[in-house]
Amino acid sequence: MPTFAPGRRPLSPGNRAGLGAALVLLAVVSAVELADGRPAGFVGLLATVPFVAAVFAAWQVVLVVGVLATVVGAVFVGMAGDHDMTGLVNLMGIMLATGVAAAGATIRERQADRIADLLRLASVAQQAVLRPIGPQVGSLAVAGRYISATAAADIGGDLYEALNTPYGVRIIIGDVRGKGLDAVRLASIVLGSYRHVAYERADIKSIVADLDRAVARSVGDEDFVTAALVEERGGTLTIVNCGHPAPLLLRRGQVIPLEPPAPAPPLGFMPEVKARVERLEPGDRLLLFTDGLGEARREGEFFPTADRAWRLLGHGTVGDGLASLETALHDWVYGRLEDDIALVLLEYAGPDGGAAVSVPSWEVGAAGS
């Protein structure tokens, strides 16, 4: 690893970009000035050099570039003669432009630092809200995964939780409308309420009513949370859906979307839910996901979740399955997702809670093949 003298560090990419662009412009203006042959006819254009540097570089680099532009301008003015007042005015303009550009670079850096701090804060808050789940919750093997979108995207409000309650294993997955800290705050409210009422309510529909009231108290008229709640009790699976993508049941090579008996609005809009009930078989797997998975696409073609679900998720452990899905998804979109994605994969081992038959782990690296 290279070492640097005390107080010296390599230039950041932004500083290099700003310095490079400014030097190129300085060279172009100087070449035009020399080719023109008139006394200091283009010196005034050198005032743009520090502004170009200020777009990317720190204020220190802007000052260095401004001083260099002033020196070059002074050389051209000197070549034009001592009585060229236009040249002197141009030099003053270059110095003034340097000061203004340095001030602008300072403001830009402070705003960038503030945004970076907010993003780090949101990321930490989100990690605190989404605590790890699994690998075993009651009779279910459980794995959860949060896939962040591109660095340019705002942090989202996707949420999930799995709890072993007196009424069976209960799982929630949801997606808050909007982005940023407000979305993380609302996600924390939903999860906090869920972690309480999931142990208190015998009926899963009562949990939906409690969560709806918690959301309605905390948001505006246009905010909401889509959610799907799942309960496994003695091999019986009960699902209620509040405007959320339908879970996928993986059974003996087939992928079955578990659509609700009737549509219901998201939390915050007083949903009247109707439960879907399924009898589980040993080895069944259930994929819960947020709409970022359904919206992932390349060149207008959406990721074929249902077509690939069994091949990606039906082998190895549930953790292996989610890793395979994430690899295939990133391959499909060339590494650029438009929205964050929350995933939960469940496997029912059977009424005795025994381990499923061991199978070779899925090769994650081959997921996109």
Side-chain angles (χ1 to χ4, degrees), residues 13-316:
N15 284 336
R16 289 198 298 269
L19 180 60
L23 292 178
V24 168
L25 180 59
L26 180 62
V28 170
V29 174
S30 299
V32 172
E33 178 67 45
L34 291 173
D36 182 66
R38 291 182 297 169
F42 293 92
V43 169
L45 292 178
L46 293 175
T48 61
V49 172
F51 284 110
V52 170
V55 174
F56 303 103
W59 66 267
Q60 297 94 330
V61 175
V62 175
L63 287 181
V64 171
V65 169
V67 170
L68 181 59
T70 303
V71 171
V72 172
V75 170
F76 285 123
V77 170
M79 292 170 58
D82 295 337
H83 302 290
D84 187 353
M85 294 302 298
T86 301
L88 295 177
V89 171
N90 285 336
L91 286 179
M92 294 179 61
I94 296 172
M95 290 186 285
L96 178 61
T98 299
V100 173
T106 301
I107 295 173
R108 175 184 55 76
E109 286 185 289
R110 289 177 179 174
Q111 291 177 336
D113 290 342
R114 182 172 180 271
I115 292 173
D117 288 341
L118 288 175
L119 288 176
R120 283 193 293 269
L121 177 60
S123 179
V124 171
Q126 189 177 53
Q127 292 172 13
V129 168
L130 292 179
R131 62 190 186 188
I133 61 174
Q136 191 75 26
V137 182
S139 60
L140 299 178
V142 182
R145 205 172 190 91
Y146 193 97
I147 305 175
S148 296
T150 60
D154 291 330
I155 198 161
D158 296 19
L159 58 97
Y160 55 76
E161 181 62 288
L163 302 172
N164 189 12
T165 75
Y167 309 103
V169 177
R170 287 175 165 176
I171 301 102
I172 185 174
I173 189 165
D175 190 359
V176 176
R177 177 184 180 274
K179 302 288 184 182
L181 283 174
D182 286 341
V184 176
R185 178 187 63 84
L186 183 53
S188 70
I189 291 173
V190 173
L191 285 177
S193 299
Y194 175 75
R195 287 163 181 160
H196 172 70
V197 299
Y199 288 95
E200 302 295 328
R201 304 294 188 226
D203 183 6
I204 194 171
K205 294 181 181 179
S206 299
I207 298 177
V208 171
D210 289 336
L211 296 181
D212 177 68
R213 286 192 291 270
V215 171
R217 287 193 299 264
S218 306
V219 300
D221 294 336
E222 298 182 357
D223 295 321
F224 57 84
V225 180
T226 68
L229 284 76
V230 175
E231 177 186 277
E232 184 277 321
R233 188 189 312 189
T236 298
L237 187 71
T238 304
I239 304 171
V240 292
N241 196 316
C242 305
H244 199 77
L248 299 179
L249 176 64
L250 285 70
R251 173 178 290 170
R252 299 193 300 272
Q254 294 184 325
V255 179
I256 307 167
L258 299 183
E259 299 287 350
L267 299 174
F269 291 143
M270 296 182 292
E272 293 289 338
V273 295
K274 292 185 178 180
R276 174 163 182 166
V277 179
E278 297 283 337
R279 188 64 186 174
L280 290 174
E281 300 177 3
D284 281 354
R285 290 189 174 187
L286 186 71
L287 176 66
L288 311 174
F289 56 94
T290 54
D291 60 5
L293 179 60
E295 295 171 358
R297 59 186 179 272
R298 66 179 182 194
E299 300 172 354
E301 186 177 0
F302 290 96
F303 181 74
T305 303
D307 293 340
R308 293 193 176 188
W310 177 260
R311 182 159 58 90
L312 295 172
L313 301 172
H315 306 273

